[in-house]
Amino acid sequence: MSTPDRQITVPKFSAMKAAGRKITMLTAYDYTLARLLDSTGIEAILVGDSLGMVVQGRPNTLPVTMDEMIYHAEMVGRAVQHALVVVDMPFLSYHLGVHQATENAGRVLKETQCQAVKLEQGPQQLEVTAALVSTGIPVMAHYGLRPQSIHQLGGYRVARDRERLLADAVAAEEAGAFSILLECIPGDVAREISAAVSIPTIGIGAGVGCDGQVLVTHDLLGMTPGPTLRHAKAYVDLNALIVEAVGRYRDEVRESTFPGAEQTFD
Ligand code: KIV
């Protein structure tokens, strides 16, 4: 079966860097939002383990399981016709060695229609990355702030070790990663990394020097509780719009003005 021409494949995604075309990526966790995002022509959708916080209301991403990622990825993969869909490997789904990582990442390709996985990288993940790539599983490597290491890092902090970040990015490319996600690192370091590797860098809180950008869609839509994060931008205040719409519905039901004649069958 051939891939439809308009589908962004891993090679097409990678080729965008050489073509000097910026890459747009957003998170999605369900069919409805994934379909809408895909209709805008963005190049990539991430089924992020941020769903642990955004959808499940947990304090961090650590409790998210492989089965939960598959559940959400299956819905997103089914909705998307155009974008490349990358799925986060959750905490402890790839840390116990190549065998465990291959089995779990393989589930993403076998049980969902998504095309790639993302791994938060420590040194031992280079071997895992190489093994997955050799199995035919495309890997996006995630450096900088790594939320799965929150307890070791002592909080969500900007990663500033320039030498380390640069060396890690080069090593990830050598291991076969098709792209590198850079989370919360200084803009000049991200620009330097982007120039040093030939695969696309996708930034979040990493400045405009990356080859593309990713945002948590709920942040972009103004659906996250509390103030907007420094690195995020709310393009609309959906929280307010939803509360306003639901308030109108509540009032109309209480006043018996909904349902009206139009919504009532003869
Ligand atoms: O899980 C996630 O949503 C992420 C962000 C970097 C976008 O990894």
Side-chain angles (χ1 to χ4, degrees):
M1 194 174 68
S2 65
T3 321
D5 273 356
R6 60 197 211 91
Q7 165 90 56
I8 305 285
T9 59
V10 166
K12 281 190 200 166
F13 179 95
S14 299
M16 288 185 68
K17 175 164 180 148
R21 289 177 54 208
K22 287 274 189 178
I23 298 168
T24 45
M25 184 176 202
L26 286 170
T27 59
Y29 317 113
D30 65 52
Y31 183 89
T32 306
L33 199 53
R35 235 177 107 245
L36 268 177
L37 297 183
D38 196 41
S39 73
T40 68
I42 61 167
E43 287 78 26
I45 291 180
L46 172 66
V47 186
D49 63 353
S50 52
L51 69 86
M53 299 163 85
V54 176
V55 176
Q56 299 175 336
R58 299 184 187 277
N60 56 51
T61 60
L62 297 180
V64 177
T65 67
M66 195 65 220
D67 282 345
E68 288 167 348
M69 291 308 301
I70 295 284
Y71 173 77
H72 287 275
E74 194 279 327
M75 290 185 271
V76 173
R78 202 153 29 83
V80 173
Q81 307 284 315
H82 162 80
L84 178 75
V85 187
V86 182
V87 180
D88 254 336
M89 296 295 289
F91 182 58
L92 278 195
S93 68
Y94 56 99
H95 301 80
L96 305 183
V98 163
H99 181 88
Q100 183 219 22
T102 310
E103 196 160 66
N104 281 326
R107 286 189 65 194
V108 172
L109 268 58
K110 284 173 78 79
E111 298 177 35
T112 78
Q113 295 174 48
C114 305
Q115 298 96 340
V117 296
K118 175 164 81 60
L119 267 57
E120 293 185 18
Q121 301 267 321
Q124 89 268 30
Q125 271 73 57
L126 288 174
E127 189 196 352
V128 167
T129 296
L132 295 184
V133 172
S134 77
T135 311
I137 304 172
V139 175
M140 176 177 276
H142 180 153
Y143 286 107
L145 168 58
R146 290 168 291 120
Q148 290 174 14
S149 303
I150 168 113
H151 294 311
Q152 196 161 37
L153 300 172
Y156 296 110
R157 301 181 199 295
V158 175
R160 299 189 179 277
D161 188 344
R162 176 184 163 279
E163 298 299 325
R164 173 84 272 142
L165 286 164
L166 205 49
D168 283 345
V170 170
E173 178 171 20
E174 281 168 7
F178 75 92
S179 176
I180 298 170
L181 188 143
L182 298 171
E183 178 165 0
C184 292
I185 71 170
D188 57 339
V189 179
R191 190 180 288 280
E192 199 175 347
I193 291 172
S194 304
V197 296
S198 66
I199 53 178
T201 58
I202 306 297
I204 176 163
V208 77
C210 296
D211 302 306
Q213 298 292 328
V214 60
L215 273 183
V216 170
T217 301
H218 289 65
D219 290 341
L220 178 155
L221 296 178
M223 291 185 78
T224 315
T228 308
L229 298 166
R230 162 93 197 261
H231 64 262
K233 179 170 171 182
Y235 286 79
V236 62
D237 186 355
L238 270 199
N239 273 343
L241 290 178
I242 290 171
V243 168
E244 201 264 330
V246 173
R248 277 176 33 222
Y249 162 76
R250 178 202 58 212
D251 292 346
E252 289 188 8
V253 170
R254 287 178 183 169
E255 292 157 3
S256 297
T257 52
F258 177 84
E262 319 85 89
Q263 292 92 26
T264 305
F265 298 104
D266 295 325

